Amino acid sequence: AMLIAVFVGWRESGVVLVIIPTTILLTFFASWLMDYTINRVSLFALIFSIGILVDDAIVVVENIVRHWRMKPGRDLVQTAIEAVAEVGNPTIVATLTVIAALLPMMFVAGLMGPYMAPIPANASAAMLFSFFVAVMIAPWLLLKIGGGKHVGADSEDAGHGHGSRMGRLYRRVAAPVLKSKARSWAFLISVGVATAAVTVLFATRSVTVKLLPFDNKSELQVVVDLPEGASLEATQRVLIEAAHRLTDLPELSHIQAYVGTAAPFNFNGLVRHYYLRDRPEMGDLQVNLLPKHERDRASHEIALDIRNRLKNLETPQGTSIKVVEVPPGPPVLSTLLAEIYGPDAATRRAYAAKVREAFEAVDFVVDTDDSFGHPTQRLRIGIDQDNLEFHGVEEEAVYDTVAALFGGISVGYSHRGGGANPVEIAIRLPRSGLGPGERLLSTPLPGRSGIVELGDVVDLRYEAATFPLFRHNGRFIEMVTADLAGRFEAPIYGMFAVEDAIATLDWGEDGPPEIRYRGQPQDESHAALLWDGEWEITWTTFRDMGGAFIVALLGIYLLVVGQFRNFKLPLVILTPVPLTLIGIVIGHWLFEAPFTATSMIGFIALAGIIVRNSILLVDFIRQERRKGTPLRPALLEAGAIRFQPIFLTATAAMIGAAFILFDPIFQGLAISLVFGLASSTALTLLVIPAVYVVFRDDGSDLPES
């Protein structure tokens, strides 16, 4: 509203102040119809929408005011109708192009689909309602509160663009570019080179790619797994020692320890099956932090600090300690997950052990673990058949005795408490008496010739316990898991680093495993490594969003063809779309932010926003040409007239996005909109006229300034 007050007028800003809440309330109504709740994602969709839903209103209001100033003394209502009609068709198409860019994102597959769906759904509804509000309510309201000001108004060259300050500014910048075909070619080539050059930042990893950045939560978990068979007391000792190392964390609120029992689990724990952590060797520390506004560090920085504090903790060999953060989006079994396939269990474990070596060789791959671990020893009680027959003892007596010794015997129930909660009455040895020794082995058994001791008819031997079995879609697998912290925190960089480490290992005659990024191997006669975890969701999300972008461009192209009845002109209008990359990539580099799924949403949305500006500019160029104006004067005149509304709509969208610029999850969306709009809007007003000069130069001279 302040933006409109400064550049158009305070009465016009009052119109915008009414239009924004009206459109937002209608969007809430649409959300109710679509059965969306008000949550963090849907609210950010509305914040993102605020900047673009006033675009139609700005275009309509600005054009009405321009016509009132151009035609003083005429009937205000009729002039307003003509002004709305002038921008009506291009505004309809421009609105539909934004919707065409957003809607395909609703069809992203996997877990990210439902997570992101409220953004295109709510934003599309907001755009649709904003158009109807802009062409129906805005003109009526402007007449009510601002019409009297313009009765009999007169201003030299008002509304024509070249007389205004912004129009003169545009002419000074654009005239040198459009002076000759050679200059226009040089400008277009330099813009193309700049667009290609910024993509180098992805190759040099100055800008990294990640599914979603880390969120700033008020809780963390330290998950501890001792070797299988470890006692409850050993697990508790490790947890207590770990807790002591964290007590001087400045952001710490309190710590809860859970030993041999499952801690209350969150969404992340649901996917990782933390509710099954009920064995003696398993423990959790729930680390609760101070509220966000009471601490300077984000939870991810604190997690890195915790991991560093626990690095040299004394633990039994084979212990695994993981620092687990609450996921910012869809949770996965592990950030970096390698599934090992092979012909048999021994081969799979051997390859998994070597792959784990490769994991541990990468400095930013942390919390490495595997699915088979270190199985404990177990005591096997075997029957000595020769002695059994010699002493005349029945096998059933041996089985019953062993079951009674180790499992106890239930003899009934005590129905105290009115029978509601009966208490079992059982006879069993104390835990201290369950170890194999004289006491157990001297247990009497009935034999043919009298009493025989249990030790006379059984053999005791220790052996390695069996490994756990894991299947994925019915295929046997072993898993190597890890997290990332340090230089890179996206799985793709960890994957490439691990693959480089795999290439340096000695794999013997069978050679290294086959590396796969998608789909289980069909032939399991040779070992194969399939990357899963966060990579799977990342691949699915960016693949589907790339497809959505292509569908969006096709939809925009068809809409523009229908508007201008020309198959070549839409290509000119779509030319500025890649230019958004200049601002987007530089913005991510300046903020040291990864290019995320929300960044991609902003990139796709920008295609619709930038095209709407291009449509309005091209429409005015065609209007000037139909009047018989030579090409270069027509280009400068159209650019000078449309510079202000294009500048205002772009700035409004940037203001709307700026309020989420420091949100940990939606920062990428904000960076894409703010910096992408800044670069592409400035270039759009120069690139499209330059394309006209290059391909349709009529040799006309620039008008006198």
Side-chain angles (χ1 to χ4, degrees):
M2 292 174 62
L3 183 74
I4 303 304
V6 170
F7 287 94
V8 184
W10 68 267
R11 293 177 177 85
E12 290 77 6
S13 71
V15 175
V16 173
L17 272 177
V18 174
I19 284 173
I20 290 177
T22 303
T23 308
I24 290 292
L25 288 172
L26 288 170
T27 306
F28 275 128
F29 174 68
S31 295
W32 175 70
L33 290 177
M34 293 184 289
D35 202 25
Y36 282 117
T37 59
I38 298 176
N39 53 54
R40 185 180 184 183
V41 179
S42 57
L43 281 176
F44 272 103
L46 291 174
I47 295 172
F48 153 70
S49 302
I50 284 176
I52 60 175
L53 63 83
V54 295
D55 285 4
D56 290 342
I58 290 174
V59 170
V60 169
V61 168
E62 193 273 342
N63 209 49
I64 291 174
V65 172
R66 185 175 68 86
H67 273 258
W68 281 345
R69 291 172 178 169
M70 283 169 53
K71 305 167 184 177
R74 284 195 60 188
D75 180 63
L76 293 178
V77 174
Q78 186 60 37
T79 305
I81 292 173
E82 292 173 1
V84 175
E86 183 180 46
V87 295
N89 281 349
T91 302
I92 292 173
V93 176
T95 302
L96 292 176
T97 58
V98 178
I99 295 174
L102 292 169
L103 272 184
M105 287 188 285
M106 289 192 66
F107 301 97
V108 173
L111 290 173
M112 277 296 288
Y115 181 82
M116 290 169 24
I119 295 178
N122 285 287
S124 298
M127 286 304 301
L128 196 61
F129 286 124
S130 71
F131 170 75
F132 287 105
V133 171
V135 297
M136 295 171 67
I137 297 178
W140 170 80
L141 193 60
L142 188 61
L143 280 166
K144 290 294 182 183
I145 66 175
K149 171 193 172 187
H150 297 284
V151 175
D154 190 10
S155 176
E156 183 182 357
D157 291 328
H160 284 79
H162 55 265
S164 65
R165 285 176 298 174
M166 298 191 75
R168 290 194 296 270
L169 173 63
Y170 176 77
R171 286 175 174 276
R172 283 198 298 269
V173 174
V177 175
L178 306 180
K179 190 170 185 179
S180 67
K181 183 183 288 190
R183 288 194 178 188
S184 296
W185 263 120
F187 174 73
L188 292 176
I189 291 172
S190 63
V191 170
V193 170
T195 304
V198 295
T199 59
V200 175
L201 293 175
F202 288 115
T204 60
R205 300 182 181 179
S206 300
V207 177
T208 57
V209 179
K210 197 176 188 304
L211 179 65
L212 286 174
F214 291 101
D215 203 352
N216 187 12
K217 297 291 188 180
S218 294
E219 60 174 305
L220 297 166
Q221 265 182 292
V222 178
V223 178
V224 178
D225 292 312
L226 270 65
E228 189 177 345
S231 67
L232 205 65
E233 293 77 12
T235 306
Q236 185 179 23
R237 280 194 292 272
V238 173
L239 284 184
I240 295 300
E241 178 59 30
H244 282 310
R245 294 198 176 194
L246 306 182
T247 51
D248 59 343
L249 270 175
E251 300 87 356
L252 182 65
S253 174
H254 56 275
I255 300 176
Q256 302 159 3
Y258 298 86
V259 186
T261 186
F265 56 90
N266 52 22
F267 191 28
N268 195 40
L270 185 66
V271 172
R272 299 189 179 191
H273 300 165
Y274 283 172
Y275 51 88
L276 298 177
R277 295 180 53 79
D278 56 359
R279 296 175 61 84
E281 67 270 13
M282 298 177 176
D284 295 270
L285 287 182
Q286 176 71 29
V287 182
N288 299 310
L289 307 174
L290 294 172
K292 299 176 187 178
H293 61 275
E294 295 182 22
R295 48 186 165 90
D296 297 326
R297 293 192 297 178
S299 59
H300 179 60
E301 296 176 69
I302 299 170
L304 296 178
D305 186 9
I306 290 175
R307 188 174 283 114
N308 189 56
R309 288 167 180 255
L310 301 179
K311 187 179 295 182
N312 299 318
L313 188 68
E314 290 187 12
T315 59
Q317 185 177 2
T319 299
S320 168
I321 299 179
K322 306 182 188 71
V323 179
V324 180
E325 301 179 57
V326 178
V332 292
L333 192 63
S334 184
T335 303
L336 199 62
L337 171 60
E339 296 179 355
I340 310 299
Y341 295 81
D344 54 68
T347 302
R348 290 193 300 269
R349 288 195 294 271
Y351 271 86
K354 296 284 285 185
V355 169
R356 180 167 180 170
E357 284 183 39
F359 272 53
E360 293 170 343
V362 180
D363 61 336
F364 57 90
V365 174
V366 297
D367 296 352
T368 306
D369 200 2
D370 56 56
S371 59
F372 48 92
H374 298 270
T376 186
Q377 283 190 321
R378 65 182 178 193
L379 176 65
R380 176 178 289 276
I381 302 176
I383 295 178
D384 186 331
Q385 289 294 336
D386 293 336
N387 285 343
L388 193 72
E389 293 178 9
F390 177 79
H391 293 290
V393 178
E394 297 290 338
E395 282 191 3
E396 184 179 5
V398 178
Y399 294 142
D400 290 345
T401 301
V402 171
L405 287 172
F406 289 95
I409 300 173
S410 178
V411 297
Y413 291 88
S414 171
H415 295 279
R416 291 181 296 178
N421 298 294
V423 178
E424 183 187 19
I425 302 172
I427 300 173
R428 57 171 53 97
L429 292 172
R431 292 185 62 183
S432 59
L434 293 179
E438 288 185 22
R439 185 172 182 181
L440 286 181
L441 295 179
S442 62
T443 303
L445 291 174
R448 186 186 309 114
S449 304
I451 299 300
V452 178
E453 291 184 350
L454 178 63
D456 293 334
V457 295
V458 297
D459 291 327
L460 302 184
R461 66 177 183 273
Y462 285 96
E463 62 184 20
T466 55
F467 289 93
L469 297 177
F470 287 90
R471 297 181 183 88
H472 184 185
N473 295 337
R475 305 278 191 88
F476 284 105
I477 63 167
E478 303 296 342
M479 294 178 286
V480 182
T481 61
D483 216 319
L484 294 106
R487 290 185 293 136
F488 302 105
E489 292 173 333
I492 189 168
Y493 304 109
M495 290 159 52
F496 291 157
V498 168
E499 288 175 17
D500 292 340
I502 286 175
T504 64
L505 296 176
D506 180 14
W507 294 91
E509 297 180 359
D510 294 331
E514 174 195 0
I515 306 293
R516 298 181 64 87
Y517 300 99
R518 292 282 296 169
Q520 294 175 301
Q522 297 301 313
D523 180 13
E524 296 184 39
S525 61
H526 182 68
L529 184 158
L530 171 64
W531 290 112
D532 207 323
E534 189 176 311
W535 160 251
E536 172 67 21
I537 296 182
T538 303
W539 163 262
T540 302
T541 301
F542 280 96
R543 178 201 65 191
D544 292 351
M545 293 186 74
F549 183 61
I550 294 172
V551 172
L553 291 180
L554 179 60
I556 292 170
Y557 176 82
L558 294 176
L559 284 168
V560 179
V561 167
Q563 165 67 12
F564 294 107
R565 290 179 169 80
N566 188 305
F567 288 97
K568 295 180 181 178
L569 192 58
L571 299 177
V572 176
I573 290 173
L574 287 169
T575 301
V577 172
L579 306 183
T580 58
L581 277 175
I582 297 176
I584 289 173
V585 178
I586 291 176
H588 283 80
W589 175 67
L590 289 174
F591 276 78
E592 297 182 350
F595 186 87
T596 63
T598 59
S599 306
M600 190 70 176
I601 292 174
F603 177 50
I604 296 174
L606 275 177
I609 297 170
I610 292 303
V611 165
R612 69 173 295 137
N613 293 336
S614 302
I615 290 171
L616 291 167
L617 180 60
V618 168
D619 188 69
F620 270 72
I621 293 172
R622 287 165 63 89
Q623 288 182 30
E624 291 294 325
R625 293 289 284 160
R626 282 196 292 267
K627 295 176 185 177
T629 309
L631 180 64
R632 283 182 175 81
L635 294 174
L636 286 179
E637 181 70 9
I641 292 173
R642 298 317 303 161
F643 180 42
Q644 178 164 299
I646 288 175
F647 168 80
L648 291 178
T649 54
T651 307
M654 291 167 65
I655 291 172
F659 285 94
I660 55 175
L661 200 55
F662 296 98
D663 179 81
I665 301 299
F666 290 93
Q667 184 186 54
L669 173 61
I671 291 174
S672 293
L673 289 176
V674 172
F675 288 90
L677 276 169
S679 66
S680 57
T681 300
L683 293 173
T684 297
L685 290 161
L686 297 174
V687 165
I688 288 182
V691 171
Y692 265 92
V693 171
V694 166
F695 292 102
R696 295 189 179 182
D697 188 14
D698 60 1
S700 59
D701 293 326
L702 292 171
E704 295 294 330
S705 58

